């Protein structure tokens, strides 16, 4: 398996959404002019490079400041952004975009088709951190030569995109892609001002003075991993007249209880809360819940002598009481996930959800079946006991999940000992990619509305194939659904992707999905237009408004 540099920028390690400590809430609101909204986040920004970043918080800031050919509307659909018009060839393989003539960067330069050519190709530069993973994304998008670039057969500058003049940008595809315009909302497919980017060099996107914007806002008062920053209305934005809020102030508050107190005191207008606080706010006008397209799952490392056994893996997964986990530990709107493709993510032309289309769930809690698998696995291994370590982050919720899992595993599987190892999220992230773990939890967010968003991760060489899973049958289905014979046949494609999910979860039990993330948050009743999305940037701010 070809090892990627960092593979999975969009990996969302469970419990990673904690960062720095509170340094003061709403301290600059009085100084800001015009309409101001103050938002609390549980983690700082770590990167603002559109072609690199993939972490949830970063992506929200990028989507607010850098606009691509298409953008996410408030109702969750892809609508034209920098593209004034779009033409598609009869075979669906050539897409021609006319770039708006009233679009500008914050340095005053016009946004041109050359910015898109540079941004797309830059995304595939192997010298760019996370470049390998971006090549893989270009393959999924169907761009000509992306596969050859990924395999080292061609230079990244040969990617099948071109600016034929300042206003005309053309993308050449190897196959038609059903989710094409949705995918274009993802930050990796953003334009980039080459002059600004190259002048900044290694400092690019490291602090607000090193960022450039063409979207509704620009970032201000930000230093790398700082506890506070702001989004300011971009006067150069073509639709600036409809951007109602002048300043969005952000404040990192690590502890959700402290964040809720800040909201209650009127210091912030928005904050997420934990499951422990949901009961206190349920029924109040400020309280909101929504499903999110993040699937949290457990990685069993197949290199481990015990976890390499199919029956041991199945015993562990069938011992997870997902419903009780969601109802008694998380309590934040998360729902049990006996699947890998998120509910509410993918729909066919008739409006049927992929989850309903498959009509199947896997690895449902079944202690009796788990015990049968367990005893068979012990027999095959010639042992009567097993000791495993479950590594988790040191965040409060992640630790509570770990204790719950430990209890269920040790209760349902006699002879099993589970050691909990809590480490900082950064360390766990590094250990995940180095393979230095036995079991650990991971989450993957939805970046485009297609079953491949989650299923392609586990093909051989996939962005999140980090536990030694090497199914050629599974990989073949994913490849055919991405760029092969299935790409043009919707029903057959979904049937085969359903079969792939079954192979991954039921036949091979390569991972253990646990829950689909929910979000519970508090929002000032004077604030409107905050849009929550199941895929892409979780929150978008272009339609934000506040009553004075």
């Amino acid at each position: 398996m070809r090892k990627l540099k960092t593979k999975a920028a969009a990996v969302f390690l469970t419990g990673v959404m904690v960062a720095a400590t509170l340094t003061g809430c709403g301290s600059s609101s009085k100084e800001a002019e015009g309409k101001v909204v103050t938002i609390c986040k549980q983690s700082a920004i770590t990167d603002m490079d559109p072609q690199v970043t993939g972490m949830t918080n970063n992506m929200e800031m990028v989507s607010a400041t850098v606009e691509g050919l298409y953008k996410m509307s408030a109702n969750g659909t892809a609508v034209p952004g920098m593209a004034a018009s779009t033409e598609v060839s009869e075979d669906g393989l050539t897409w021609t975009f006319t770039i708006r003539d009233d679009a500008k960067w914050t340095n005053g330069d016009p946004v041109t088709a050359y910015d898109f050519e540079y941004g797309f190709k830059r995304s595939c530069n192997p010298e760019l951190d996370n470049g390998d993973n971006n090549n893989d994304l270009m393959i999924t998008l169907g761009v000509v030569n992306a596969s050859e670039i990924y395999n080292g057969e061609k230079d990244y500058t040969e990617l099948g995109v071109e600016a034929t003049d300042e206003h005309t940008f053309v993308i050449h595809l190897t196959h038609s892609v059903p989710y094409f315009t949705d995918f274009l909302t993802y930050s990796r497919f953003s334009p980039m001002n080459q002059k600004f980017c190259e002048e900044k060099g290694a400092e690019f996107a490291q602090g607000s003075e090193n960022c450039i914007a063409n979207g509704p806002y620009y970032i201000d008062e930000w230093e790398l991993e700082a506890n506070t920053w702001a989004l300011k209305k971009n006067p150069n934005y073509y639709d600036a007249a409809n951007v109602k809020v002048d300043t969005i102030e952000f404040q990192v508050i690590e502890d959700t209880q402290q964040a809720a107190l800040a909201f209650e005191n009127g210091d912030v207008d928005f904050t997420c809360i934990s499951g422990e606080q949901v009961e206190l706010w349920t029924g109040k006008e400020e309280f909101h819940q929504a499903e999110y397209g993040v699937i949290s799952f457990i990685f069993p490392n197949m290199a481990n002598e015990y976890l390499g056994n199919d029956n041991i893996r199945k015993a562990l997964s069938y011992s997870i009481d997902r419903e009780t986990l969601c109802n008694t530990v998380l309590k934040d709107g998360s729902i049990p996930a006996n699947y890998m493709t998120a509910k509410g993510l993918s729909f066919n032309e008739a409006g049927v959800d992929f989850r309903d289309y498959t009509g199947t769930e896997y690895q449902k809690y079944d202690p009796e079946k788990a015990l049968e698998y367990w005893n068979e696995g012990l027999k095959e291994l010639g042992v009567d006991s097993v000791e495993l370590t479950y590594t988790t982050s040191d965040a409060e919720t992640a630790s509570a999940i770990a204790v719950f899992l430990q209890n269920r595993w040790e209760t349902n599987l006699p002879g099993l000992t589970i050691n909990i190892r809590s480490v900082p999220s950064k360390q766990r992230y590094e250990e995940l990619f180095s393979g230095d773990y036995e079991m650990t939890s991971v989450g993957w967010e939805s970046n485009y509305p297609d079953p491949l968003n989650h299923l392609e991760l586990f093909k051989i060489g996939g962005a999140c194939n980090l536990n030694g899973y090497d199914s050629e049958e599974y990989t073949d289905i994913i490849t055919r659904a991405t760029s092969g014979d299935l790409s043009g046949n919707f029903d057959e494609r979904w049937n085969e992707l359903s079969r792939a999910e079954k192979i991954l979860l039921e036949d091979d039990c390569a991972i253990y999905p646990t829950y689909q993330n929910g979000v519970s948050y508090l929002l000032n009743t004077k604030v409107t237009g905050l849009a929550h999305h199941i895929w892409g940037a979780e929150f978008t701010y272009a339609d934000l408004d506040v009553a004075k």
Side-chain angles (χ1 to χ4, degrees):
M1 183 179 76
R2 184 170 184 259
K3 186 176 181 181
L4 308 184
K5 287 182 179 178
T6 52
K7 283 187 179 174
V11 165
F12 178 100
L13 298 177
T14 303
V16 77
M17 296 184 71
V18 291
T21 55
L22 177 64
T23 58
C25 299
S27 56
S28 59
S29 297
K30 295 178 182 178
E31 300 173 8
E33 296 181 358
K35 291 185 176 182
V36 181
V37 173
T38 303
I39 291 178
C40 167
K41 288 291 185 181
Q42 277 71 56
S43 60
I45 304 172
T46 59
D47 197 342
M48 282 289 291
D49 189 330
Q51 275 84 44
V52 171
T53 194
M55 300 301 287
T56 305
N57 205 30
N58 301 349
M59 286 179 63
E60 283 186 19
M61 301 306 117
V62 169
S63 71
T65 58
V66 181
E67 186 170 290
L69 295 165
Y70 278 70
K71 62 183 178 180
M72 184 78 80
S73 69
N75 65 7
T77 59
V79 297
M82 291 288 111
S85 64
T86 303
E87 294 183 11
V88 188
S89 61
E90 288 187 11
D91 60 8
L93 302 184
T94 303
W95 288 67
T96 303
F97 303 90
T98 301
I99 308 304
R100 308 181 63 95
D101 58 11
D102 56 350
K104 290 185 178 181
W105 294 100
T106 43
N107 67 351
D109 290 349
V111 177
T112 70
Y114 298 107
D115 296 327
F116 279 95
E117 180 178 355
Y118 177 71
F120 271 60
K121 290 180 177 179
R122 177 178 182 266
S123 179
C124 290
N125 186 343
E127 295 183 3
L128 187 70
D129 186 25
N130 221 32
D132 277 345
N133 186 43
N134 290 340
N135 294 347
D136 204 6
L137 286 170
M138 288 293 180
I139 295 172
T140 304
L141 189 62
V143 181
V144 165
N145 291 338
S147 182
E148 290 81 359
I149 295 169
Y150 178 77
N151 292 321
E153 299 165 5
K154 290 189 176 183
D155 189 79
Y156 75 95
T157 58
E158 298 179 79
L159 187 70
V161 300
E162 59 177 331
T164 58
D165 58 48
E166 283 198 352
H167 294 291
T168 308
F169 179 62
V170 183
I171 302 177
H172 301 284
L173 304 182
T174 59
H175 59 279
S176 60
V177 179
Y179 44 85
F180 187 75
T181 55
D182 295 317
F183 215 147
L184 292 177
T185 66
Y186 190 34
S187 65
R188 305 296 172 82
F189 308 108
S190 297
M192 183 43 58
N193 184 292
Q194 183 174 1
K195 178 182 70 175
F196 183 89
C197 182
E198 293 181 352
E199 282 179 355
K200 295 298 182 179
E203 298 300 313
F204 174 68
Q206 306 292 299
S208 54
E209 71 279 6
N210 298 314
C211 294
I212 191 169
N214 70 327
Y217 292 94
Y218 65 90
I219 194 164
D220 193 31
E221 302 170 6
W222 172 61
E223 296 180 1
L224 195 61
E225 299 191 20
N227 291 343
T228 60
W229 65 92
L231 292 178
K232 298 288 184 69
K233 180 177 177 178
N234 179 8
N236 286 338
Y237 185 54
Y238 66 88
D239 198 28
N242 289 316
V243 178
K244 303 177 182 66
V245 171
D246 299 281
T247 303
I248 309 173
E249 297 180 338
F250 292 86
Q251 171 70 65
V252 172
I253 306 178
E254 177 181 348
D255 182 83
T256 54
Q257 186 172 0
Q258 190 175 13
L261 181 61
F263 178 86
E264 197 168 8
N265 290 339
D267 295 324
V268 298
D269 297 306
F270 167 93
T271 185
C272 290
I273 58 174
S274 68
E276 295 298 325
Q277 299 157 307
V278 165
E279 191 173 342
L280 299 173
W281 289 92
T282 298
K284 295 184 179 180
E285 194 175 359
E286 300 93 337
F287 176 73
H288 302 266
Q289 271 192 337
E291 290 180 359
Y292 188 33
V294 170
I295 300 295
S296 292
F297 56 96
I298 295 169
F299 256 146
N301 193 333
M302 294 186 182
N304 178 273
E305 60 178 317
Y306 304 119
L307 296 172
N309 182 280
D310 289 357
N311 285 310
I312 294 297
R313 291 198 307 277
K314 290 178 179 180
L316 288 162
S317 184
Y318 280 93
S319 295
I320 300 173
D321 186 352
R322 294 163 175 81
E323 186 170 353
T324 301
L325 172 65
C326 291
N327 293 338
T328 67
V329 178
L330 295 170
K331 298 184 291 186
D332 59 357
S334 296
I335 57 177
N338 297 94
Y339 49 79
M340 193 58 216
T341 295
K343 177 183 177 183
L345 174 66
S346 311
F347 297 87
N348 63 16
E349 292 182 354
V352 178
D353 192 323
F354 181 77
R355 290 266 48 89
D356 296 325
Y357 184 90
T358 63
T360 308
E361 294 185 332
Y362 306 97
Q363 302 180 10
K364 287 189 175 182
Y365 181 54
D366 189 334
E368 292 183 3
K369 183 181 288 189
L371 184 58
E372 291 177 8
Y373 284 128
W374 180 249
N375 289 332
E376 185 62 28
L378 293 180
K379 182 180 178 181
E380 291 171 349
L381 292 168
V383 299
D384 57 11
S385 63
V386 170
E387 184 173 353
L388 294 168
T389 298
Y390 177 76
T391 302
T392 185
S393 81
D394 52 7
E396 182 178 354
T397 299
S399 298
I401 292 171
V403 171
F404 177 87
L405 293 171
Q406 179 190 49
N407 175 268
R408 287 297 189 272
W409 280 328
E410 292 185 345
T411 298
N412 292 325
L413 306 176
L416 175 62
T417 299
I418 295 291
N419 301 310
I420 297 175
R421 177 171 171 264
S422 298
V423 299
S425 293
K426 182 179 180 180
Q427 178 181 339
R428 192 159 66 92
Y429 185 87
E430 293 170 349
E431 292 175 353
L432 173 68
F433 286 101
S434 68
D436 187 16
Y437 67 94
E438 292 183 350
M439 288 193 296
T440 191
S441 55
V442 178
W444 192 273
E445 63 189 2
S446 302
N447 298 318
Y448 59 97
D450 187 83
L452 273 180
N453 185 93
H454 292 91
L455 296 179
E456 69 173 346
L457 307 175
F458 308 102
K459 67 182 181 182
I460 297 172
C464 207
N465 191 326
L466 305 172
N467 67 337
Y469 183 54
D470 59 356
S471 171
E472 293 184 3
E473 181 182 14
Y474 181 87
T475 300
D476 178 64
I477 295 173
I478 300 305
T479 300
R480 290 170 58 215
T482 303
S483 57
D485 62 294
L486 297 175
S487 60
N489 188 326
F490 194 96
D491 288 335
E492 186 180 357
R493 182 174 182 271
W494 269 29
N495 288 337
E496 285 296 279
L497 288 174
S498 298
R499 186 164 72 89
E501 188 178 50
K502 178 180 180 296
I503 292 169
L504 178 72
L505 302 183
E506 183 175 292
D507 299 350
D508 298 337
C509 201
I511 57 170
Y512 316 151
T514 48
Y515 58 94
Q516 181 171 338
N517 290 49
V519 58
S520 298
Y521 61 93
L522 307 177
L523 180 66
N524 187 332
T525 55
K526 292 183 178 181
V527 176
T528 57
L530 179 68
H532 181 271
H533 309 288
I534 198 166
W535 61 274
E538 184 175 10
F539 291 97
T540 53
Y541 306 105
D543 298 294
L544 205 63
D545 197 3
V546 59
K548 290 207 167 187

